[in-house]
mmCIF file with all atom_site columns, all heavy atoms in Angstrom:
data_model
loop_
_atom_site.group_PDB
_atom_site.id
_atom_site.type_symbol
_atom_site.label_atom_id
_atom_site.label_alt_id
_atom_site.label_comp_id
_atom_site.label_asym_id
_atom_site.label_entity_id
_atom_site.label_seq_id
_atom_site.pdbx_PDB_ins_code
_atom_site.Cartn_x
_atom_site.Cartn_y
_atom_site.Cartn_z
_atom_site.occupancy
_atom_site.B_iso_or_equiv
_atom_site.pdbx_formal_charge
_atom_site.auth_seq_id
_atom_site.auth_comp_id
_atom_site.auth_asym_id
_atom_site.auth_atom_id
_atom_site.pdbx_PDB_model_num
ATOM 1   N N   . SER A 1 2  ? -4.914  -20.351 -2.811  1.00 88.00 ? 16  SER A N   1
ATOM 2   C CA  . SER A 1 2  ? -6.144  -21.082 -2.716  1.00 88.00 ? 16  SER A CA  1
ATOM 3   C C   . SER A 1 2  ? -7.054  -20.448 -1.575  1.00 88.00 ? 16  SER A C   1
ATOM 4   O O   . SER A 1 2  ? -6.456  -20.262 -0.481  1.00 88.00 ? 16  SER A O   1
ATOM 5   C CB  . SER A 1 2  ? -5.915  -22.517 -2.640  1.00 88.00 ? 16  SER A CB  1
ATOM 6   O OG  . SER A 1 2  ? -7.113  -23.310 -2.460  1.00 88.00 ? 16  SER A OG  1
ATOM 7   N N   . LYS A 1 18 ? -24.426 -12.354 4.409   1.00 94.00 ? 32  LYS A N   1
ATOM 8   C CA  . LYS A 1 18 ? -24.787 -13.505 5.286   1.00 94.00 ? 32  LYS A CA  1
ATOM 9   C C   . LYS A 1 18 ? -24.737 -14.759 4.347   1.00 94.00 ? 32  LYS A C   1
ATOM 10  O O   . LYS A 1 18 ? -25.454 -14.856 3.191   1.00 94.00 ? 32  LYS A O   1
ATOM 11  C CB  . LYS A 1 18 ? -26.301 -13.329 5.655   1.00 94.00 ? 32  LYS A CB  1
ATOM 12  C CG  . LYS A 1 18 ? -26.738 -14.556 6.586   1.00 94.00 ? 32  LYS A CG  1
ATOM 13  C CD  . LYS A 1 18 ? -28.160 -14.358 7.008   1.00 94.00 ? 32  LYS A CD  1
ATOM 14  C CE  . LYS A 1 18 ? -28.637 -15.494 7.847   1.00 94.00 ? 32  LYS A CE  1
ATOM 15  N NZ  . LYS A 1 18 ? -29.943 -15.520 8.387   1.00 94.00 ? 32  LYS A NZ  1
ATOM 16  N N   . ASP A 1 26 ? -19.289 -23.819 -1.691  1.00 96.00 ? 40  ASP A N   1
ATOM 17  C CA  . ASP A 1 26 ? -19.549 -23.201 -3.149  1.00 96.00 ? 40  ASP A CA  1
ATOM 18  C C   . ASP A 1 26 ? -18.882 -21.842 -3.129  1.00 96.00 ? 40  ASP A C   1
ATOM 19  O O   . ASP A 1 26 ? -18.374 -21.472 -4.229  1.00 96.00 ? 40  ASP A O   1
ATOM 20  C CB  . ASP A 1 26 ? -21.032 -23.156 -3.365  1.00 96.00 ? 40  ASP A CB  1
ATOM 21  C CG  . ASP A 1 26 ? -21.670 -24.472 -3.463  1.00 96.00 ? 40  ASP A CG  1
ATOM 22  O OD1 . ASP A 1 26 ? -20.905 -25.412 -3.913  1.00 96.00 ? 40  ASP A OD1 1
ATOM 23  O OD2 . ASP A 1 26 ? -22.876 -24.653 -3.268  1.00 96.00 ? 40  ASP A OD2 1
ATOM 24  N N   . PHE A 1 31 ? -14.618 -18.328 -5.332  1.00 96.00 ? 45  PHE A N   1
ATOM 25  C CA  . PHE A 1 31 ? -13.448 -17.428 -5.105  1.00 96.00 ? 45  PHE A CA  1
ATOM 26  C C   . PHE A 1 31 ? -12.166 -18.007 -5.874  1.00 96.00 ? 45  PHE A C   1
ATOM 27  O O   . PHE A 1 31 ? -11.425 -17.252 -6.443  1.00 96.00 ? 45  PHE A O   1
ATOM 28  C CB  . PHE A 1 31 ? -13.141 -17.279 -3.599  1.00 96.00 ? 45  PHE A CB  1
ATOM 29  C CG  . PHE A 1 31 ? -14.032 -16.209 -2.829  1.00 96.00 ? 45  PHE A CG  1
ATOM 30  C CD1 . PHE A 1 31 ? -14.287 -16.404 -1.530  1.00 96.00 ? 45  PHE A CD1 1
ATOM 31  C CD2 . PHE A 1 31 ? -14.715 -15.217 -3.621  1.00 96.00 ? 45  PHE A CD2 1
ATOM 32  C CE1 . PHE A 1 31 ? -15.103 -15.474 -0.913  1.00 96.00 ? 45  PHE A CE1 1
ATOM 33  C CE2 . PHE A 1 31 ? -15.456 -14.338 -2.911  1.00 96.00 ? 45  PHE A CE2 1
ATOM 34  C CZ  . PHE A 1 31 ? -15.702 -14.437 -1.554  1.00 96.00 ? 45  PHE A CZ  1
ATOM 35  N N   . LEU A 1 35 ? -9.950  -16.250 -8.709  1.00 95.00 ? 49  LEU A N   1
ATOM 36  C CA  . LEU A 1 35 ? -8.489  -16.049 -8.673  1.00 95.00 ? 49  LEU A CA  1
ATOM 37  C C   . LEU A 1 35 ? -7.781  -16.805 -9.752  1.00 95.00 ? 49  LEU A C   1
ATOM 38  O O   . LEU A 1 35 ? -6.638  -16.332 -10.265 1.00 95.00 ? 49  LEU A O   1
ATOM 39  C CB  . LEU A 1 35 ? -8.063  -16.673 -7.262  1.00 95.00 ? 49  LEU A CB  1
ATOM 40  C CG  . LEU A 1 35 ? -8.506  -15.740 -6.109  1.00 95.00 ? 49  LEU A CG  1
ATOM 41  C CD1 . LEU A 1 35 ? -7.932  -16.405 -4.775  1.00 95.00 ? 49  LEU A CD1 1
ATOM 42  C CD2 . LEU A 1 35 ? -7.823  -14.373 -6.125  1.00 95.00 ? 49  LEU A CD2 1
ATOM 43  N N   . PHE A 1 37 ? -8.999  -17.254 -12.804 1.00 95.00 ? 51  PHE A N   1
ATOM 44  C CA  . PHE A 1 37 ? -8.985  -16.372 -13.957 1.00 95.00 ? 51  PHE A CA  1
ATOM 45  C C   . PHE A 1 37 ? -8.127  -15.164 -13.853 1.00 95.00 ? 51  PHE A C   1
ATOM 46  O O   . PHE A 1 37 ? -7.402  -14.779 -14.891 1.00 95.00 ? 51  PHE A O   1
ATOM 47  C CB  . PHE A 1 37 ? -10.423 -15.844 -14.142 1.00 95.00 ? 51  PHE A CB  1
ATOM 48  C CG  . PHE A 1 37 ? -10.724 -14.944 -15.330 1.00 95.00 ? 51  PHE A CG  1
ATOM 49  C CD1 . PHE A 1 37 ? -10.611 -15.523 -16.585 1.00 95.00 ? 51  PHE A CD1 1
ATOM 50  C CD2 . PHE A 1 37 ? -10.977 -13.661 -15.270 1.00 95.00 ? 51  PHE A CD2 1
ATOM 51  C CE1 . PHE A 1 37 ? -10.918 -14.784 -17.754 1.00 95.00 ? 51  PHE A CE1 1
ATOM 52  C CE2 . PHE A 1 37 ? -11.094 -12.901 -16.315 1.00 95.00 ? 51  PHE A CE2 1
ATOM 53  C CZ  . PHE A 1 37 ? -11.149 -13.478 -17.508 1.00 95.00 ? 51  PHE A CZ  1
ATOM 54  N N   . VAL A 1 44 ? -0.819  -12.831 -19.557 1.00 92.00 ? 58  VAL A N   1
ATOM 55  C CA  . VAL A 1 44 ? -0.937  -12.147 -20.916 1.00 92.00 ? 58  VAL A CA  1
ATOM 56  C C   . VAL A 1 44 ? 0.214   -11.056 -20.877 1.00 92.00 ? 58  VAL A C   1
ATOM 57  O O   . VAL A 1 44 ? 0.364   -10.261 -19.995 1.00 92.00 ? 58  VAL A O   1
ATOM 58  C CB  . VAL A 1 44 ? -2.364  -11.577 -21.025 1.00 92.00 ? 58  VAL A CB  1
ATOM 59  C CG1 . VAL A 1 44 ? -2.355  -10.655 -22.243 1.00 92.00 ? 58  VAL A CG1 1
ATOM 60  C CG2 . VAL A 1 44 ? -3.402  -12.505 -20.964 1.00 92.00 ? 58  VAL A CG2 1
ATOM 61  N N   . ASP A 1 45 ? 0.864   -11.102 -22.001 1.00 92.00 ? 59  ASP A N   1
ATOM 62  C CA  . ASP A 1 45 ? 1.971   -10.096 -22.224 1.00 92.00 ? 59  ASP A CA  1
ATOM 63  C C   . ASP A 1 45 ? 1.355   -8.843  -22.770 1.00 92.00 ? 59  ASP A C   1
ATOM 64  O O   . ASP A 1 45 ? 0.753   -8.763  -23.790 1.00 92.00 ? 59  ASP A O   1
ATOM 65  C CB  . ASP A 1 45 ? 2.994   -10.584 -23.267 1.00 92.00 ? 59  ASP A CB  1
ATOM 66  C CG  . ASP A 1 45 ? 4.009   -9.711  -23.538 1.00 92.00 ? 59  ASP A CG  1
ATOM 67  O OD1 . ASP A 1 45 ? 4.291   -8.750  -22.668 1.00 92.00 ? 59  ASP A OD1 1
ATOM 68  O OD2 . ASP A 1 45 ? 4.721   -9.850  -24.505 1.00 92.00 ? 59  ASP A OD2 1
ATOM 69  N N   . SER A 1 54 ? -11.936 2.946   -23.555 1.00 78.00 ? 68  SER A N   1
ATOM 70  C CA  . SER A 1 54 ? -13.030 2.362   -24.206 1.00 78.00 ? 68  SER A CA  1
ATOM 71  C C   . SER A 1 54 ? -12.456 1.513   -25.339 1.00 78.00 ? 68  SER A C   1
ATOM 72  O O   . SER A 1 54 ? -11.428 1.541   -25.773 1.00 78.00 ? 68  SER A O   1
ATOM 73  C CB  . SER A 1 54 ? -13.961 3.443   -24.696 1.00 78.00 ? 68  SER A CB  1
ATOM 74  O OG  . SER A 1 54 ? -14.991 2.870   -25.536 1.00 78.00 ? 68  SER A OG  1
ATOM 75  N N   . VAL A 1 55 ? -13.292 0.546   -25.789 1.00 81.00 ? 69  VAL A N   1
ATOM 76  C CA  . VAL A 1 55 ? -12.872 -0.309  -26.853 1.00 81.00 ? 69  VAL A CA  1
ATOM 77  C C   . VAL A 1 55 ? -12.980 0.435   -28.215 1.00 81.00 ? 69  VAL A C   1
ATOM 78  O O   . VAL A 1 55 ? -12.474 -0.012  -29.197 1.00 81.00 ? 69  VAL A O   1
ATOM 79  C CB  . VAL A 1 55 ? -13.688 -1.549  -26.911 1.00 81.00 ? 69  VAL A CB  1
ATOM 80  C CG1 . VAL A 1 55 ? -13.401 -2.495  -25.723 1.00 81.00 ? 69  VAL A CG1 1
ATOM 81  C CG2 . VAL A 1 55 ? -15.200 -1.433  -27.088 1.00 81.00 ? 69  VAL A CG2 1
ATOM 82  N N   . THR A 1 56 ? -13.664 1.609   -28.237 1.00 82.00 ? 70  THR A N   1
ATOM 83  C CA  . THR A 1 56 ? -13.764 2.335   -29.427 1.00 82.00 ? 70  THR A CA  1
ATOM 84  C C   . THR A 1 56 ? -12.870 3.527   -29.202 1.00 82.00 ? 70  THR A C   1
ATOM 85  O O   . THR A 1 56 ? -12.882 4.154   -28.252 1.00 82.00 ? 70  THR A O   1
ATOM 86  C CB  . THR A 1 56 ? -15.246 2.747   -29.772 1.00 82.00 ? 70  THR A CB  1
ATOM 87  O OG1 . THR A 1 56 ? -15.640 3.537   -28.563 1.00 82.00 ? 70  THR A OG1 1
ATOM 88  C CG2 . THR A 1 56 ? -16.127 1.595   -29.951 1.00 82.00 ? 70  THR A CG2 1
ATOM 89  N N   . LYS A 1 61 ? -14.487 14.048  -23.237 1.00 83.00 ? 75  LYS A N   1
ATOM 90  C CA  . LYS A 1 61 ? -14.810 15.466  -23.247 1.00 83.00 ? 75  LYS A CA  1
ATOM 91  C C   . LYS A 1 61 ? -13.906 16.257  -22.247 1.00 83.00 ? 75  LYS A C   1
ATOM 92  O O   . LYS A 1 61 ? -13.695 15.885  -21.173 1.00 83.00 ? 75  LYS A O   1
ATOM 93  C CB  . LYS A 1 61 ? -16.180 15.698  -22.975 1.00 83.00 ? 75  LYS A CB  1
ATOM 94  C CG  . LYS A 1 61 ? -17.078 15.062  -24.085 1.00 83.00 ? 75  LYS A CG  1
ATOM 95  C CD  . LYS A 1 61 ? -18.574 15.365  -23.708 1.00 83.00 ? 75  LYS A CD  1
ATOM 96  C CE  . LYS A 1 61 ? -19.431 14.652  -24.822 1.00 83.00 ? 75  LYS A CE  1
ATOM 97  N NZ  . LYS A 1 61 ? -20.824 14.781  -24.419 1.00 83.00 ? 75  LYS A NZ  1
ATOM 98  N N   . LYS A 1 92 ? -24.189 14.937  16.434  1.00 87.00 ? 106 LYS A N   1
ATOM 99  C CA  . LYS A 1 92 ? -22.823 14.822  17.057  1.00 87.00 ? 106 LYS A CA  1
ATOM 100 C C   . LYS A 1 92 ? -22.546 13.412  17.355  1.00 87.00 ? 106 LYS A C   1
ATOM 101 O O   . LYS A 1 92 ? -23.317 12.715  17.847  1.00 87.00 ? 106 LYS A O   1
ATOM 102 C CB  . LYS A 1 92 ? -22.931 15.571  18.345  1.00 87.00 ? 106 LYS A CB  1
ATOM 103 C CG  . LYS A 1 92 ? -21.575 15.688  19.031  1.00 87.00 ? 106 LYS A CG  1
ATOM 104 C CD  . LYS A 1 92 ? -21.694 16.634  20.335  1.00 87.00 ? 106 LYS A CD  1
ATOM 105 C CE  . LYS A 1 92 ? -20.429 16.669  21.005  1.00 87.00 ? 106 LYS A CE  1
ATOM 106 N NZ  . LYS A 1 92 ? -20.518 17.574  22.216  1.00 87.00 ? 106 LYS A NZ  1
#
Side-chain angles (χ1 to χ4, degrees):
S16 180
K32 182 178 179 182
D40 292 334
F45 283 152
L49 290 176
F51 181 69
V58 175
D59 181 20
S68 173
V69 294
T70 58
K75 295 180 182 177
K106 185 176 180 181

